[in-house]
Amino acid sequence: MFDATMSQPRFLGQRPARTAPLRNELAHFELCPMCGQAVDRRDIHAVMHHLPVGHQPMPRH
């Protein structure tokens, strides 16, 4: 009997290609015109931080 999982061997740490979800994820980001930092529009705190003129980029964690 032929097992479908045996047709394409996978190596440890190998992940399947997932380009469509990444494109959908990138649709939620835009670059701030003032500081150039990428802003996730789903994060209200990040959006509110980037509203005032002359703001500094958000600190990285």
Side-chain angles (χ1 to χ4, degrees):
M1 185 161 150
F2 182 76
D3 187 9
T5 59
M6 298 296 286
S7 63
Q8 296 179 355
R10 294 186 60 196
F11 300 99
L12 189 62
Q14 181 183 12
R15 295 183 180 179
R18 296 181 182 166
T19 56
L22 289 179
R23 287 187 193 134
N24 292 340
E25 185 71 18
L26 289 175
H28 297 286
F29 287 86
E30 75 177 46
L31 291 178
C32 175
M34 287 180 246
C35 69
Q37 191 173 29
V39 180
D40 185 353
R41 294 181 293 190
R42 299 169 292 182
D43 181 5
I44 189 66
H45 298 290
V47 172
M48 295 300 286
H49 174 83
H50 287 275
L51 284 179
V53 176
H55 67 271
Q56 296 294 319
M58 289 185 73
R60 290 182 157 176
H61 294 79

